[in-house]
Amino acid sequence: MVLKRGMQIPTGEDIRTARENKGLTQSDLAERAGVSQPLIARIEGEDVDPTIDTLYSVVSVLNNSTEELEQEEVKISMPSVLKDARNRTGYTQGELAEVADVSQPLISRIERQDVNPKASTLRELFSHLDPLPESDSDEVSKRSTTESDLVEKIEWEFGNVEGTSSQPASEKEGASPSENKQCPGCGSDLSPYPEPSYCPDCGAEL
């Protein structure tokens, strides 16, 4: 069975790389995404952790999308995407919370749509979850056509940002297959982070 890559959440470095590849200034990107230029600068510098709907607005501009979803649609869809992926992997909320080093109540609140999750939180959660099979009639039948289309649209937008750090290290120019994949201190998976200088989990310098 062919598997999709699963939900990929771009980092600030991914946003900066994609913006520069398209020849956009931070002000250009901010105006088109409906946010401020200082916010773009802080996202790229990873000084701020944007909510997932704000990040989606930025990403859709970088992908030149003509059918951008409303932020509210993204906020409504993401909890069901997370819950489906967690159930598919076989995790309870508590088990996912333990491996992702977040609280179980936070996962519960995200899935109940009680909180608009930060991008880094979803990036960490999805890194521990199984991707969706390319063709799974059972899963598709559980969703309405509209919801399924929304989910695929969101996955496509996040997964197709130019320069995304979710690209395997072995495919990056000058990188060996095992380079910077795990923290030598705590063993955390560092593949979602582009050339990290420190471990986001234990703080060890790399």
Side-chain angles (χ1 to χ4, degrees):
M1 180 178 291
V2 178
L3 296 178
K4 295 181 181 179
R5 289 183 302 167
M7 185 69 71
Q8 310 291 318
I9 310 295
T11 65
E13 177 66 18
D14 296 330
I15 299 300
R16 182 189 65 78
T17 299
R19 176 181 61 77
E20 292 178 347
N21 286 346
K22 291 187 175 297
L24 297 174
T25 65
Q26 290 181 343
S27 295
D28 292 334
L29 178 57
E31 181 177 358
R32 297 181 191 184
V35 299
S36 68
Q37 179 274 326
L39 177 59
I40 295 295
R42 295 183 68 193
I43 290 174
E44 292 184 354
E46 301 191 349
D47 294 327
V48 67
D49 191 6
T51 56
I52 198 66
D53 55 323
T54 297
L55 184 63
Y56 178 87
S57 295
V58 173
V59 165
S60 62
V61 171
L62 294 172
N63 286 334
N64 294 322
S65 296
T66 57
E67 298 180 3
E68 181 180 347
L69 300 177
E70 296 293 332
Q71 288 190 340
E72 190 65 25
E73 292 180 293
V74 177
K75 286 195 290 186
I76 291 173
S77 298
M78 289 305 296
S80 63
V81 175
L82 175 62
K83 186 174 182 178
D84 286 350
R86 178 177 61 78
N87 289 336
R88 194 166 55 247
T89 306
Y91 279 139
T92 64
Q93 290 181 347
E95 289 168 340
L96 177 57
E98 183 175 357
V99 298
D101 196 24
V102 301
S103 70
Q104 180 274 326
L106 175 58
I107 294 177
S108 178
R109 293 183 66 200
I110 291 173
E111 293 186 356
R112 293 199 314 266
Q113 300 181 23
D114 290 341
V115 63
N116 189 10
K118 299 292 188 178
S120 64
T121 301
L122 287 179
R123 186 183 303 117
E124 179 63 24
L125 291 173
F126 280 114
S127 72
H128 296 283
L129 299 175
D130 291 342
L132 180 65
E134 191 68 54
S135 297
D136 191 327
S137 58
D138 290 338
E139 286 294 328
V140 172
S141 65
K142 293 176 184 177
R143 293 179 177 157
S144 67
T145 301
T146 300
E147 182 182 3
S148 181
D149 289 345
L150 283 175
V151 170
E152 289 198 6
K153 170 81 172 159
I154 294 169
E155 287 183 341
W156 185 90
E157 294 286 8
F158 284 139
N160 283 275
V161 177
E162 293 182 26
T164 180
S165 61
S166 58
Q167 180 182 6
S170 59
E171 297 180 9
K172 293 182 180 180
E173 183 178 356
S176 66
S178 60
E179 185 179 6
N180 289 338
K181 278 200 167 184
Q182 288 188 329
C183 170
C186 67
S188 293
D189 180 18
L190 301 178
S191 57
Y193 304 94
E195 300 180 0
S197 58
Y198 65 92
C199 175
D201 291 329
C202 70
E205 293 187 4
L206 304 173

